[in-house]
Amino acid sequence: MGIYKITMFFRWQLKLFVLSGIVVSSWANDSSLFGSQSLVNLLTDDNFNIEVGKGIHFVMFFAPWCGHCMRLGPAWNALGDKAAEWDVGERRMVAVSKVDCTLATSLCNEEQVKGYPAMKLYIPGKEPIKYKGERTVDAFVKFIQSNVPSESLILPIPPVPDSYNRPPSEKGHYILSSDSFYPFIQSGGCHFVKFFAPWCEHCKDMEPHWLKLAIRFKRSDSVFISSVDCTKDQTICAQNQVSAYPTIMWFVGGIRGQQYMGQRLFDDMEDFVETQLDNIEEDLIEAKAAEAQRVVSQISSVVEFEKARLNYRMFVVFYHSGINVARSTAMSDCFLKVSQSLSQSRTERFFTMDCSRLRDVCRSNGVYDPDYPRLMFFTRGNKAVIYFGEPNYPDVNSFILQTISDSSDGKGKVEL
């Protein structure tokens, strides 16, 4: 009888071993737990450093035989789907990945993985951050949001359509929706926008003052007063990081600028708008004075960029003070040398911009970490040509001269 029990025990152990082996093998090789449509990346010894160096990665180190890892599979897969909401176009802002430590043993040793599953958040330029919280999607998302710069998690902004009609207004007040918000604020001019909720008492209190402000500027071609109902258009409010009501923001040419923090009274808000308009004029005068000296000017504000973009044919070097510094320095040296070699009578302007300070402006023009430096040519508001070559003088000089020649012949605008 004792021998029979021992025999049955080993038979059950063998069955469990075989079954677990099937499940583990399936899970490790695109199982139902991760699925063929999974957005979770598999990293290896060969591609780990390359992929992690490209951007933000939340990585799970696992072993196929680990029961905790298998139970985590569905949640990790769901996190991959959730992270896709932060994508901008085809660019993955936060990648959710996995590493099989039974295959990538040297990598896991280098990363000091001592137990499974182990999860780490990798942000370029920083030390990896270990995750020690609950193993749920909500907990993972909160961890990412608390450690990743908020501008990297902004939901993608749709492009402006080729044909566009201004939305209707009532006495100068525009009610914007998900269909009209971005086309309107990117169509030009300055926009003072109130993000609100109908149930918000503070929003109700300021409404008469807001409508009076709209009437004040209803005949203006450069200032527009608008509102967005965040209970109807949650995506727009999330994209603009609205966390309280009312939130009032100033936009110039589609770029989010200063948030209004003053009293919600007509006189105070009118003074704010007038001050912003005065600053735009002052910045334009200063920019023109600097550009007249035929030097490369540094763009240091949203207003400076927008005014230059709308008024000049300009070359801009987008760089980041903490990323690819050597290449950015080389590009800046070439850029300065080319600008100084051109005739004083030329109308093109030359600018540089630090994307560590004006990240939103860079992102709105398609420049993301770690794509630095990036040289672009703009002609009267339109992004026309992008330089993808090396930061050496002959190539940069050739690109700029050819771009000037093509744009002067009417061939400068290239669809990107």
Side-chain angles (χ1 to χ4, degrees):
M1 192 66 176
I3 294 175
Y4 173 77
K5 288 182 178 179
I6 293 173
T7 302
M8 292 302 295
F9 172 77
F10 280 109
R11 284 181 179 177
W12 278 109
Q13 290 294 310
L14 180 60
K15 287 181 180 180
L16 289 173
F17 177 78
V18 172
L19 288 172
S20 64
I22 293 172
V23 172
V24 167
S25 176
S26 175
W27 180 80
N29 296 283
D30 257 352
S31 70
S32 58
L33 290 174
F34 277 99
S36 59
Q37 302 299 317
S38 172
L39 296 177
V40 175
N41 308 302
L42 177 62
L43 302 181
T44 66
D45 281 321
D46 296 329
N47 68 0
F48 181 85
N49 289 328
I50 296 174
E51 294 300 322
V52 169
K54 292 179 180 178
I56 301 168
H57 279 255
F58 196 18
V59 182
M60 176 180 66
F61 299 88
F62 73 96
W65 46 260
C66 163
H68 294 300
C69 303
M70 286 186 281
R71 286 190 287 273
L72 178 58
W76 202 250
N77 183 57
L79 179 63
D81 295 337
K82 177 66 178 177
E85 296 178 7
W86 295 318
D87 290 358
V88 176
E90 297 182 356
R91 185 179 182 85
R92 178 58 48 86
M93 303 309 295
V94 178
V96 178
S97 308
K98 60 179 179 178
V99 174
D100 184 346
C101 287
T102 64
L103 300 177
T105 53
S106 60
L107 169 61
C108 294
N109 287 335
E110 290 175 4
E111 296 301 315
Q112 300 180 1
V113 176
K114 303 183 183 301
Y116 308 118
M119 289 151 282
K120 293 185 179 183
L121 180 63
Y122 293 81
I123 302 175
K126 296 183 179 181
E127 289 295 318
I129 305 171
K130 293 181 180 179
Y131 179 78
K132 299 180 180 179
E134 296 181 5
R135 295 170 185 171
T136 64
V137 176
D138 288 344
F140 292 144
V141 169
K142 290 179 181 178
F143 173 74
I144 293 172
Q145 291 175 332
S146 65
N147 288 284
V148 174
S150 59
E151 59 265 27
S152 297
L153 303 179
I154 298 175
L155 296 172
I157 294 174
V160 178
D162 294 333
S163 60
Y164 168 71
N165 294 319
R166 182 181 295 179
S169 69
E170 183 174 349
K171 296 182 179 179
H173 182 224
Y174 296 85
I175 300 295
L176 304 182
S177 65
S178 56
D179 294 327
S180 61
F181 180 81
Y182 287 109
F184 187 38
I185 67 169
Q186 293 179 9
S187 64
C190 303
H191 296 257
F192 204 24
V193 183
K194 177 189 68 176
F195 298 88
F196 74 99
W199 46 260
C200 163
E201 293 299 326
H202 294 303
C203 303
K204 295 176 184 177
D205 291 341
M206 74 168 288
E207 186 69 4
H209 301 275
W210 191 250
L211 295 179
K212 184 178 179 181
L213 187 69
I215 294 173
R216 160 69 175 82
F217 290 101
K218 74 175 184 177
R219 299 188 185 281
S220 173
D221 292 327
S222 58
V223 178
F224 304 93
I225 309 300
S226 308
S227 297
V228 175
D229 183 347
C230 290
T231 64
K232 294 180 178 179
D233 296 288
Q234 297 178 3
T235 298
I236 293 175
C237 297
Q239 288 167 338
N240 289 281
Q241 303 176 35
V242 176
S243 59
Y245 307 120
T247 293
I248 308 170
M249 294 184 183
W250 179 257
F251 293 80
V252 180
I255 305 298
R256 186 173 69 242
Q258 183 176 347
Q259 180 172 339
Y260 177 72
M261 304 298 291
Q263 295 293 315
R264 304 183 192 105
L265 303 174
F266 170 77
D267 290 340
D268 296 272
M269 293 188 291
E270 182 189 35
D271 288 344
F272 175 82
V273 172
E274 295 289 359
T275 300
Q276 295 300 310
L277 294 176
D278 289 342
N279 289 340
I280 288 176
E281 294 301 322
E282 291 175 3
D283 288 343
L284 180 57
I285 293 172
E286 292 177 1
K288 286 183 176 179
E291 289 154 7
Q293 301 175 22
R294 301 302 299 159
V295 297
V296 176
S297 302
Q298 176 77 17
I299 293 177
S300 57
S301 72
V302 175
V303 171
E304 285 182 17
F305 175 79
E306 188 59 26
K307 294 302 293 186
R309 185 180 70 85
L310 294 176
N311 286 280
Y312 303 126
R313 289 153 45 88
M314 67 176 187
F315 291 90
V316 182
V317 171
F318 297 87
Y319 70 95
H320 191 293
S321 57
I323 300 176
N324 296 335
V325 176
R327 288 178 60 85
S328 295
T329 301
M331 175 64 81
S332 296
D333 291 343
C334 298
F335 194 55
L336 176 61
K337 187 176 179 181
V338 173
S339 70
Q340 292 173 336
S341 69
L342 292 175
S343 169
Q344 298 292 312
S345 63
R346 293 226 56 89
T347 60
E348 290 77 18
R349 305 305 187 195
F350 296 81
F351 297 93
T352 57
M353 181 186 299
D354 185 352
C355 291
S356 68
R357 297 178 179 273
L358 296 170
R359 187 181 295 266
D360 281 349
V361 180
C362 297
R363 285 169 57 88
S364 70
N365 286 282
V367 183
Y368 306 95
D369 300 348
D371 301 336
Y372 306 111
R374 178 70 78 231
L375 170 58
M376 293 185 187
F377 176 66
F378 296 80
T379 174
R380 302 294 181 181
N382 298 311
K383 181 171 61 178
V385 185
I386 304 176
Y387 177 69
F388 291 101
E390 291 298 312
N392 60 68
Y393 177 76
D395 290 344
V396 173
N397 184 58
S398 176
F399 167 78
I400 291 177
L401 294 179
Q402 187 63 50
T403 300
I404 292 174
S405 175
D406 289 346
S407 62
S408 298
D409 295 337
K411 300 185 294 182
K413 187 172 182 180
V414 178
E415 295 297 329
L416 302 172

